Amino acid sequence: MNLYLLLIGTVILICILLNRFLERIPVPSLLFFIALGMIFGENGILGITFNNYEISETICSISLIFIMFYGGFGTNLKSAKPVIVKSAVLSTLGVIFTASLIGVFGHYVLGCSWLESFLIGSVISSTDAASVFNILRSQKLSLKYNTDSLLELESGSNDPTSYMMTVLVIALMSVQEISIPLMFAKQMGFGILCGLLLGKLTVWVLNSSILFSGEHEKTVLVFAVALVSYAIASAVGGNGYLSVYLCGIYMGNAALPKKRYLVHFFDVITSVAQVLIFFLLGLLVTPLELPEVLLPAILLMLFLTFIARPVVVGVILACFRALPAQIAVVSWAGLRGVASIVFAIYAVLQNVELSYNLFNLVFCIVLLSISFQGTLLPWVSRKMDMIDVNSDVNKTFNDYQEDSDVDFIKVHIGKDHPWNGQELKDIMGIRDLLVVMIIREDKTIIPHGNTKIQIGDLLVLAARTFEERENLTLREIIIDKHHKWRGKTIGDITVSRGSLIVLIQKENETVIPRGNTIIEQNDVLVMAESVAQKKA
């Protein structure tokens, strides 16, 4: 137990420390964590033996829940509206046709049984949202004709179809008596119903301020809802992944108070989940066993990349009169990843008879796909002249806060305030700063330029949120009875150049300091400092 905690903590630390470096390299950063897991693993430097598929499947499945929820939460339906139908067809019929072509290839070329071939096809038929999002964002790939939205929506929504096919084929291989139409209806029906109902209920609860006293409670609620939406749907025979994805879409496109706090939280959670999955899979695999499946993995990956995916995408998008350049980029962007390996582990745990080690086979396919397709995706996009230099790929995601990057602050007008008695038009010369409301006694005033400010007014100002804190750091200074600043005013002390006392936390209040503010014992001063100045 302690060893595993040490490994997880070490990997997360490495992730944070190398984040800047990994964003600059052309190779998808998730490959680094697979390699790190293999280095730590049985045939690696540390030689850690880890072959527990049950624990791996549990951890990876839970991580995938949050990845899929956040994938739905970050899907901007407004931006994706022009490509919703295309994406829906690609994520359903596209997955089924791709799995079928791989099944035929596996039977006639690799010599597998029909059911095993279709199982392999089902497991690797979906594209990986985590890998696609990672490359689009890190490489800033804004694509023409809403192609980035198309890839985002397709890769985020096709895992449920792949999972449903995997479950179906395993049931057939286990000689279970099943009704395919009934199973399909339950998977889709309960998955859609649970996801949308829970999403709608959660939005209502989040907007009912009576039920909450702080933002942390709301964040914990959404965290729990992501798990519950999967669990309830699965318990009644529905598709849990479809449920959690639709729940995320509904909530992400609803009007929620202070949504950016949820975005920041789940952004961290999903980043850690992705790193944990790829590291764990690297740790789980035994590299010395991979040569046995390397040749079939290469053949399957080449067939999938150059024949199956292009044929399916070409036929489907041609029906929508898509341009050849768009078809080429969408075809190439069919990266395999986390979901395929999670489904492979699930299949292995069902103890169905297989001629290949399915986990090792799929692991190699995913590794080859991310390395080859992922690395060349930016090049292919440029070669096809599909990069839109006038757009921002982040706008296709709901966590892009272009329309809500404004914060509100309050200013009390006292007798000695310099704005007392002034008209707004005479004082508001600062660009991007606006007085949006004045509270005067029991009245709320929406001001205009001729509005005169009076003693006792409470001004509510709007200004852009400051998010880029790379060059700014905050530190606390605690004033004890021996501190040299105790008893002095702000104007009497000298701070280093590039520093500013921005607030003082007193016993019962927070004070925005002025020159005549007296520093007292037990005060906590918050100092803003320039990073460049600090280094100097």
Side-chain angles (χ1 to χ4, degrees), residues 124-142:
I124 65 172
S125 57
S126 66
T127 56
D128 184 57
S131 300
V132 173
F133 292 176
N134 179 271
I135 293 172
L136 289 178
R137 291 185 172 189
S138 64
Q139 301 299 318
K140 295 180 173 59
L141 288 183
S142 300

Side-chain angles (χ1 to χ4, degrees), residues 88-160:
V89 176
L90 282 172
S91 62
T92 52
L93 293 179
V95 171
I96 294 171
F97 292 155
T98 301
S100 300
L101 289 176
I102 296 171
V104 173
F105 179 83
H107 178 71
Y108 286 108
V109 177
L110 302 182
C112 299
S113 67
W114 278 111
L115 286 178
E116 182 178 358
S117 297
F118 280 114
L119 178 61
I120 295 171
S122 299
V123 166
I124 65 172
S125 57
S126 66
T127 56
D128 184 57
S131 300
V132 173
F133 292 176
N134 179 271
I135 293 172
L136 289 178
R137 291 185 172 189
S138 64
Q139 301 299 318
K140 295 180 173 59
L141 288 183
S142 300
L143 303 176
K144 296 177 180 178
Y145 319 120
N146 297 107
T147 305
D148 36 19
S149 293
L150 174 64
L151 291 174
E152 173 206 356
L153 200 56
E154 183 220 356
S155 61
S157 61
N158 59 16
D159 289 338

Side-chain angles (χ1 to χ4, degrees), residues 24 52 101 137 140 153 170 230 245 268 283 285 295 311 313 326 330 383 412 445 468 497 500 504:
R24 296 190 183 102
N52 194 319
L101 289 176
R137 291 185 172 189
K140 295 180 173 59
L153 200 56
I170 289 174
Y230 173 88
Y245 181 69
V268 173
L283 189 66
V285 74
L295 180 58
V311 167
V313 170
Q326 184 182 36
V330 174
K383 199 70 175 176
H412 291 276
I445 301 172
E468 301 297 330
R497 185 178 179 184
L500 178 70
I504 300 176

Side-chain angles (χ1 to χ4, degrees), residues 38 60 91 116 135 152 216 376 416 426 442 451 472 497:
M38 296 174 72
C60 290
S91 62
E116 182 178 358
I135 293 172
E152 173 206 356
H216 300 300
L376 293 180
D416 299 325
D426 296 327
D442 295 328
T451 301
L472 181 69
R497 185 178 179 184

Side-chain angles (χ1 to χ4, degrees), residues 114-281:
W114 278 111
L115 286 178
E116 182 178 358
S117 297
F118 280 114
L119 178 61
I120 295 171
S122 299
V123 166
I124 65 172
S125 57
S126 66
T127 56
D128 184 57
S131 300
V132 173
F133 292 176
N134 179 271
I135 293 172
L136 289 178
R137 291 185 172 189
S138 64
Q139 301 299 318
K140 295 180 173 59
L141 288 183
S142 300
L143 303 176
K144 296 177 180 178
Y145 319 120
N146 297 107
T147 305
D148 36 19
S149 293
L150 174 64
L151 291 174
E152 173 206 356
L153 200 56
E154 183 220 356
S155 61
S157 61
N158 59 16
D159 289 338
T161 306
S162 177
Y163 176 73
M164 184 171 60
M165 293 179 62
T166 301
V167 171
L168 175 61
V169 175
I170 289 174
L172 293 173
M173 295 179 74
S174 303
V175 199
Q176 299 178 17
E177 293 186 6
I178 59 168
S179 170
I180 295 178
L182 179 60
M183 179 181 177
F184 178 82
K186 289 177 64 178
Q187 284 271 310
M188 298 298 292
F190 286 127
I192 294 172
L193 186 65
C194 291
L196 294 181
L197 283 179
L198 276 169
K200 187 173 183 177
L201 177 62
T202 306
V203 168
W204 177 81
V205 171
L206 290 174
N207 284 294
S208 301
S209 57
I210 298 176
L211 300 176
F212 295 99
S213 61
E215 297 304 318
H216 300 300
E217 294 175 347
K218 296 180 180 181
T219 303
V220 173
L221 171 70
V222 177
F223 179 88
V225 166
L227 295 172
V228 170
S229 61
Y230 173 88
I232 290 181
S234 299
V236 296
N239 192 314
Y241 293 112
L242 178 61
S243 174
V244 75
Y245 181 69
L246 290 177
C247 182
I249 285 183
Y250 189 94
M251 293 179 60
N253 287 274
L256 295 176
K258 299 185 178 180
K259 186 186 291 185
R260 68 174 178 269
Y261 293 111
L262 292 174
V263 169
H264 293 164
F265 175 78
F266 279 98
D267 200 36
V268 173
I269 288 292
T270 53
S271 296
V272 172
Q274 290 173 22
V275 168
L276 183 60
I277 287 178
F278 278 87
F279 172 78
L280 187 62
L281 296 176

